[in-house]
Amino acid sequence: MQTVQKVAAMRLPPLPTVRDLINLFGLRAKKQLSQNFLLDPRITDKIVRAAGGKKLRGAHVCEVGPGPGPITRSIFNAGIERLVVIEKDKRFLPTLEILASASGNRLDIHLGDVLSFNMSKMFPEELRAQDWAHKPPPINIIGNLPFSVSTPLIIRWLMDISERQNVWTYGRVPLTLTFQKEVAERIVALERDKQRCRLSLMSQAYCDVELKFLIKGSSFVPKPDVDVGVVHMVPKSVPSVAVPFKVFEKVTRTVFCMRQKYCIIPFKRLFPESLRHTLAGELLKKIHVDPTRRPFQLTMEEFSDMASIYWETCQKIEGLFEYNFRASVPDRNEPEWNSRVLENEILTG
Ligand code: SAM
């Protein structure tokens, strides 16, 4: 069969609109779950084009937070092979089941929380890429989740990408996700941009990132108070940092806690008081950074060098990595990263 005919055959047959199904099943958006639906097919088609458009033909896709299924329909209409959805709210089961049957049973529905969902065996074995550097496998992740979920989720997933676990056991699976506009801008912000923050460094260390387009809040039902950015992320074949994720996370967290100060000030916070003066000065000299530059002005390369030298020093000085400047004594029980703290930092810059 010709490709165009094949794609047409894989499209969904005519169905009641999502709005009609929402009314039929009484699926009012739950405010406490930050549910805002995208009912304009031009926008949901645009999200799917941002995920790869024609490249999705014959691909396997996972949609997170499908709700009543508006993006789900656009994904099917892109001629994909199979779709897996992960949805927390079981009220959407009937509308998703309609799509499952209309698609010829090419939809697998999982009721669950994407934050704890193990995606490492979700797709057929033969889709696994030969190795990490190989081109991404024909698998895509797409989602319009509540912002309270997408921000901690992306940090968790960046760690999974860095450790090649979860769905990234299949290779460099790309992501297309929506975020609050300000968060989307921070993910892609380059050095000297006023939006540059820890999330920019962490995202760009492990992924090529692109802000595809913005969606006005008024396009959602009900309308949220903010606008939305659609971000496409492809894991890098070689990450920009050579240290473990937890080390890069700690360095960026410590340095960005004072993003407007001369960088020497937060650099010192990486070390206990007795070693601070010598080690922070040495670190700056080794990476050739002027101590009066501000954290948001530093490049990825400079951050990467800083993290490598800091990590080398940690291997030589016992307990240095566990040192936490916020605690008066080193706290070995402090979580390595805390998504709630990070989420606050990300939203406030
Ligand atoms: N994708 C639909 C759209 O674009 O209209 C719905 C978007 S609505 C903003 C977010 C959806 O994610 C809701 O259906 C909600 O129930 C679901 N959701 C929220 N938290 C979730 C979680 N932790 N795991 C899976 N789904 C979640």
Side-chain angles (χ1 to χ4, degrees):
M1 217 192 295
Q2 297 276 309
T3 319
V4 181
Q5 286 168 308
K6 227 188 208 169
V7 173
M10 291 171 110
R11 289 176 70 96
L12 296 173
L15 289 167
T17 64
V18 179
R19 200 184 285 272
D20 287 343
L21 291 180
I22 288 175
N23 291 335
L24 183 67
F25 291 103
L27 299 172
R28 288 244 316 260
K30 280 192 182 164
K31 210 168 175 197
Q32 70 274 29
L33 287 182
S34 309
Q35 290 174 342
N36 309 95
F37 305 137
L38 262 178
L39 302 182
D40 182 345
R42 286 169 305 181
I43 299 179
T44 54
D45 285 352
K46 202 169 168 186
I47 293 177
V48 173
R49 281 200 299 278
K54 287 181 185 165
K55 284 197 212 146
L56 295 192
R57 283 182 191 167
H60 290 239
V61 177
C62 170
E63 186 194 358
V64 289
I71 302 177
T72 322
R73 293 175 179 222
S74 293
I75 296 173
F76 271 121
N77 288 335
I80 58 132
E81 178 73 27
R82 215 171 168 82
L83 176 60
V84 184
V85 294
I86 304 170
E87 170 57 58
K88 194 175 180 180
D89 186 343
K90 63 175 186 310
R91 292 182 309 142
F92 296 117
L93 206 47
T95 48
L96 293 171
E97 276 167 350
I98 289 174
L99 293 181
S101 128
S103 69
N105 292 322
R106 286 184 293 128
L107 174 63
D108 295 326
I109 305 167
H110 293 283
L111 284 180
D113 185 340
V114 64
L115 283 163
S116 53
F117 203 89
N118 180 354
M119 300 158 86
S120 60
K121 294 205 172 111
M122 209 161 68
F123 297 101
E125 281 304 304
E126 62 271 19
L127 296 186
R128 291 192 194 275
Q130 280 162 11
D131 59 52
W132 185 258
H134 201 257
K135 68 174 186 222
I139 300 175
N140 275 264
I141 296 176
I142 301 177
N144 171 32
L145 283 164
F147 308 128
S148 56
V149 177
S150 56
T151 308
L153 182 68
I154 194 60
I155 298 301
R156 209 162 286 204
W157 278 357
L158 286 169
M159 185 174 78
D160 288 343
I161 289 171
S162 81
E163 295 177 2
R164 302 178 190 179
Q165 60 192 21
N166 202 357
V167 75
W168 292 278
T169 51
Y170 287 88
R172 295 187 293 119
V173 174
L175 304 156
T176 309
L177 298 173
T178 56
F179 295 92
Q180 181 176 329
K181 173 177 170 271
E182 291 72 18
V183 174
E185 288 170 346
R186 287 183 179 132
I187 290 175
V188 300
L190 297 174
E191 65 268 14
R192 292 190 295 277
D193 187 319
K194 64 180 190 331
Q195 303 275 32
R196 178 85 151 176
C197 68
R198 178 146 70 113
L199 184 62
S200 330
L201 266 304
M202 286 170 63
S203 306
Q204 294 165 32
Y206 299 103
C207 293
D208 291 319
V209 295
E210 194 182 342
L211 174 51
K212 290 288 195 173
F213 63 99
L214 298 177
I215 309 175
K216 284 256 165 257
S218 53
S219 306
F220 293 81
V221 181
K223 175 185 171 304
D225 296 332
V226 291
D227 292 338
V228 170
V230 178
V231 179
H232 183 63
M233 304 173 78
V234 183
K236 288 184 169 174
S237 49
V238 182
S240 305
V241 290
V243 296
F245 182 87
K246 63 179 184 180
V247 177
F248 194 58
E249 190 283 327
K250 181 175 181 186
V251 168
T252 52
R253 168 163 42 96
T254 310
V255 174
F256 271 103
C257 71
M258 297 173 154
R259 70 189 297 280
Q260 295 293 350
K261 301 244 178 195
Y262 289 159
C263 64
I264 181 72
I265 300 171
F267 277 12
K268 285 184 175 169
R269 302 271 178 121
L270 285 167
F271 307 101
E273 248 181 288
S274 57
L275 301 172
R276 213 165 254 184
H277 190 70
T278 333
L279 292 182
E282 270 177 22
L283 179 68
L284 273 178
K285 254 193 224 146
K286 282 189 188 158
I287 61 170
H288 308 291
V289 164
D290 172 353
T292 64
R293 281 168 68 203
R294 325 265 167 178
F296 72 94
Q297 298 171 324
L298 302 180
T299 63
M300 173 64 78
E301 218 181 334
E302 288 163 337
F303 263 102
S304 168
D305 289 348
M306 184 197 323
S308 293
I309 294 167
Y310 168 70
W311 186 226
E312 254 171 45
T313 316
C314 289
Q315 325 271 306
K316 292 181 199 147
I317 303 176
E318 210 197 319
L320 178 57
F321 184 67
E322 288 76 18
Y323 169 71
N324 169 15
F325 81 89
R326 286 187 199 269
S328 51
V329 287
D331 180 359
R332 283 168 198 275
N333 297 321
E334 204 219 19
E336 278 155 4
W337 57 278
N338 175 331
S339 58
R340 192 158 302 158
V341 172
L342 178 60
E343 196 186 331
N344 273 337
E345 276 176 33
I346 290 163
L347 290 173
T348 54

